Amino acid sequence: MCRKVIEASATGNKDIVIWGDGEQTRSFMFINDCIKGILAIMYSNIQEPINLGSSEMVSINELVSIVEEIAGITLNRVYDPVRPKECAP
């Protein structure tokens, strides 16, 4: 998303293509937290699969808004409902 916003800012093309309707959510985590969590799991006695991640969900539309604010730009969101909305397995 950051690359798309930077590209729009640099080229003057204010259209940003968002796959699906933008309401799909993702969770994000700082890389340092991820590494710390992986190390903690590796050195633990946990035997079953667990989910390491953040419980805070962010929609793609929210992510675009956050990046727009940081970049100081407002983009025209073009939704592509034909493209996949979910992450590939």
Side-chain angles (χ1 to χ4, degrees), residues 11 29-30 35:
T11 64
M29 127 187 291
F30 288 108
I35 292 169

Side-chain angles (χ1 to χ4, degrees), residues 1-9 13-26 28 57-80:
M1 202 55 64
C2 293
R3 179 195 55 81
K4 288 183 174 186
V5 172
I6 290 167
E7 186 176 285
S9 181
N13 179 0
K14 303 290 192 213
D15 289 346
I16 184 169
V17 177
I18 298 173
W19 291 8
D21 61 6
E23 292 305 312
Q24 59 275 33
T25 58
R26 303 289 183 264
F28 299 95
M57 300 302 287
V58 178
S59 76
I60 299 303
N61 283 326
E62 289 173 310
L63 178 61
V64 172
S65 294
I66 292 166
V67 178
E68 283 177 324
E69 185 176 335
I70 292 168
I73 188 172
T74 302
L75 302 173
N76 176 37
R77 299 172 191 200
V78 178
Y79 296 98
D80 186 350

